[in-house]
Amino acid sequence: MDRCIIDEVLLPESIIQKRVKELGEQISRDYGGQEVRAVGILRGAFIFMSDLVRNISVPLSVDFMAISSYTEGRDSGGVVRILKDLDKPITNKHVLIVEDIVDTGLTLHHLKEVLMIREPASLKVCALLDKKERRLIHDLQVEYTGFEIPNRFVVGYGLDYAEKYRNYPFIFVLKPEFYQSL
Ligand code: IMP
Ligand code: MG
C-alpha cells in the first residue's frame, strides 16, 4: 500500500476486526435467535457489512440499498436520494441497517423514515463509525456503534474520497494535498 498518502492511521486493521467481532456477537445475543435482514448501505458499508455478517450467528439474509447524500468530493449536497432500492420487501422483518459512518445523521434519519413506512417488525442501526460532534439530528438512535471518531474526513475499509481508497483494510486520514477541497 502507498504509505506516502497517509497522514494518520486512525484505526488499524486489527482494532477494526476485533471490534467488528464484538459487534457481531452483541447483535447475535440481542436478536436471540430471531431472523435478521441486514441492509447494507452502498457503497461505503460493503466491506464492514461483509465482515460483520460473518460474525453474526442468528439466521440472516442480506439486502442492499444505494443512497446518495454527498457529491463527488467530501461536501454534503444536503440531498438524500435513493439510487438503488431494496430487492425484497421488509414488512414484518427485523431489519438491521448497516452503515459506514454517521456524520450529520441526515442520511440515516431520512433512510429510517423511508423504511419505517414499509412496517418492519423492528428497525435498528449498526454504524461502524460515529462523528458525534457533527450531529445535526440529535435524537437519532444508533443502536450499535463501532467507534466514535473525531471530526476528520476518513477513508479506507469501504470509505472513500472521490471513490478511491475503499480497498485499504484500515481507516486513515489522507495527507491534505490529496483532498481537492477542504
Ligand atoms: P450524514 O448524512 O452527514 O450522516 O453522512 C453520512 C454519509 O456521509 C456516510 O454514509 C458517508 O458516505 C459520508 N461520509 C461522512 N463522513 C465521511 C468521512 O469521513 N469519510 C467518508 N465518507 C464520509
Ligand atoms: Mg461516501
Side-chain angles (χ1 to χ4, degrees):
M1 295 279 179
D2 188 4
R3 298 245 149 222
C4 63
I5 63 166
I6 298 168
D7 189 11
E8 187 189 340
V9 174
L10 274 195
L11 298 166
E13 185 174 5
S14 59
I15 304 278
I16 297 172
Q17 292 301 333
K18 183 166 172 275
R19 184 70 186 124
V20 172
K21 187 167 185 282
E22 285 171 5
L23 285 172
E25 288 166 357
Q26 192 188 342
I27 289 164
S28 305
R29 277 197 303 277
D30 291 356
Y31 281 89
Q34 280 173 330
E35 194 168 323
V36 176
R37 172 73 49 83
V39 168
I41 307 306
L42 297 171
R43 290 179 287 273
F46 83 109
I47 292 191
F48 174 43
M49 171 93 161
S50 76
D51 282 344
L52 182 70
V53 296
R54 280 180 282 182
N55 285 285
I56 296 178
S57 56
V58 295
L60 177 138
S61 56
V62 301
D63 205 343
F64 293 92
M65 240 174 141
I67 284 172
S68 148
S69 56
Y70 274 60
T71 48
E72 259 264 298
R74 47 160 292 168
D75 295 322
S76 169
V79 185
V80 180
R81 273 193 309 144
I82 294 180
L83 303 176
K84 182 218 168 288
D85 206 339
L86 295 171
D87 288 334
K88 300 253 171 67
I90 53 165
T91 308
N92 296 326
K93 302 284 181 196
H94 292 286
V95 175
L96 178 67
I97 299 173
V98 180
E99 176 62 305
D100 54 357
I101 182 166
V102 193
D103 189 19
T104 62
L106 287 165
T107 307
L108 263 182
H109 176 72
H110 175 82
L111 182 64
K112 283 176 96 174
E113 282 191 336
V114 168
L115 296 184
M116 277 310 287
I117 294 167
R118 304 179 190 184
E119 301 187 328
S122 66
L123 183 62
K124 291 186 179 177
V125 177
C126 179
L128 179 67
L129 306 174
D130 189 349
K131 282 189 205 169
K132 264 227 168 97
E133 61 182 280
R134 291 256 307 161
R135 192 77 89 256
L136 294 176
I137 310 289
H138 295 285
D139 58 356
L140 182 76
Q141 242 188 296
V142 180
E143 283 78 6
Y144 306 99
T145 304
F147 304 92
E148 269 186 39
I149 61 163
N151 181 17
R152 303 188 67 188
F153 195 86
V154 293
V155 297
Y157 197 69
L159 291 106
D160 73 304
Y161 170 68
E163 291 306 324
K164 285 200 282 191
Y165 316 110
R166 295 191 197 274
N167 53 316
Y168 286 69
F170 50 89
I171 291 173
F172 64 104
V173 180
L174 279 171
K175 282 194 178 145
E177 59 264 36
F178 292 94
Y179 296 114
Q180 265 155 26
S181 57
L182 277 171

